[in-house]
Amino acid sequence: MFSGAVGPLGIGVATLWLSLIVLLPLAALAVHSVSDGFGTFWSAITAPAAVATLRITVGVSLVVAAINAVMGTLIAWVLVRDEFRGKKFVNALIDLPFALPTIVASIVLLSLYGPQSPIGLQLNATQPGLVVALAFVTLPFVVRAVQPVLLETDREVEEAAASLGAGNFTIFRRVVLPALAPAILSGTGLAFARAIGEYGSIVLIGGNIPYETQVASQYIQQQIEIDRPANAAAVSVVLLLIAFLVLFVLRAVANRGVRRQEEDR
């Protein structure tokens, strides 16, 4: 009988590939970040410019993740629960940020929100401009995480709640949201992780102004250009740790929610 297990050989191949593609490069980055000693590493990540760029990066990314959590869920709901003209086109449009080179997105956003904005809205070299650019490239994460869960949601439970007199908001809060929460958290975590490391979409519209709009990826490039690769590696390690911590916490919360749902059943 086919069990679906790949056996020791499959596990070995998967582990080897993961090591070559992910673990070894990350280990090399970590080693390089402390190549000049832990004192230099600490100085690199606590320098005023580094602290400012990390603060801006994390702050803007948190705002973008929160926006995506709400708007991504809403868009997924519309795509699953509503019928309208052009639905297939909109559904395909969601994945465009995955396929479009991010530098192209930056050019488009600069044309729309730059000094020559055709709509009279100038966001160039501002933190709201960063939010718009990062929201564009991270949009699909929450939508694609929530969509399949919505498709599998049992509509009969919602109908039963409605028959008992529950309003739409109550049904969403007490019935639908608990089922969607793990997917929303997972998609939000991925959106945050993508946002803190993004470069292409903000390279033009962001302005790269130190202490104002310079994000970590731009600061890292700057350190490499002035021949300070150890500093660049140190800030990169901090970004990796932040992303890993956020993903770990959100995944743990999501798993706990799933276990609670299974226990309630």
Side-chain angles (χ1 to χ4, degrees):
M1 183 178 180
F2 180 68
S3 64
V6 295
L9 178 61
I11 294 173
V13 171
T15 303
L16 176 62
W17 184 251
L18 181 65
S19 299
L20 291 173
I21 299 300
V22 179
L23 298 181
L24 287 179
L26 293 182
L29 177 66
V31 170
H32 187 52
S33 68
V34 295
S35 59
D36 295 333
F38 284 99
T40 303
F41 173 86
W42 183 253
S43 297
I45 64 174
T46 56
V51 172
T53 194
L54 287 170
R55 176 179 55 79
I56 292 169
T57 302
V58 173
V60 170
S61 298
L62 286 173
V63 172
V64 169
I67 292 173
N68 274 318
V70 177
M71 299 308 299
T73 303
L74 176 61
I75 292 171
W77 182 279
V78 170
L79 290 175
V80 172
R81 296 293 179 88
D82 294 307
E83 294 296 332
F84 55 91
R85 273 188 176 181
K87 179 177 177 178
K88 291 182 179 180
F89 174 77
V90 173
N91 202 23
L93 195 64
I94 298 299
D95 293 325
L96 185 61
F98 283 150
L100 187 71
T102 52
I103 186 65
V104 176
S106 191
I107 293 173
V108 172
L109 292 172
L110 184 63
S111 300
L112 186 59
Y113 300 115
Q116 305 298 325
S117 172
I119 60 175
L121 182 59
Q122 184 174 337
L123 299 178
N124 182 42
T126 65
Q127 291 189 17
L130 295 177
V131 170
V132 171
L134 294 176
F136 173 82
V137 297
T138 58
L139 171 66
F141 289 101
V142 176
V143 177
R144 294 313 187 205
V146 172
Q147 234 178 331
V149 180
L150 267 176
L151 288 170
E152 296 176 2
T153 301
D154 188 358
R155 298 288 295 274
E156 293 182 358
V157 178
E158 298 175 41
E159 293 171 358
S163 67
L164 293 174
N168 290 335
F169 179 75
T170 301
I171 293 173
F172 178 80
R173 182 172 59 88
R174 301 294 297 272
V175 178
V176 180
L177 187 58
L180 297 183
I184 294 173
L185 288 174
S186 178
T188 301
L190 291 174
F192 175 83
R194 168 67 186 272
I196 65 171
E198 177 59 24
Y199 177 79
S201 65
I202 49 88
V203 67
L204 298 178
I205 194 171
N208 196 18
I209 304 174
Y211 299 95
E212 294 185 23
T213 63
Q214 186 182 62
V215 297
S217 57
Q218 294 173 314
Y219 179 80
I220 290 168
Q221 184 193 33
Q222 182 187 70
Q223 294 301 299
I224 293 174
E225 289 175 348
I226 61 177
D227 198 27
R228 294 179 181 173
N231 289 4
V235 175
S236 299
V237 168
V238 174
L239 280 183
L240 285 171
L241 291 175
I242 293 172
F244 178 79
L245 180 62
V246 170
L247 289 174
F248 179 81
V249 170
L250 290 179
R251 185 59 58 85
V253 173
N255 289 340
R256 181 179 297 178
V258 171
R259 286 196 298 270
R260 285 180 178 177
Q261 288 182 24
E262 291 176 350
E263 292 173 358
D264 292 340
R265 292 175 185 175

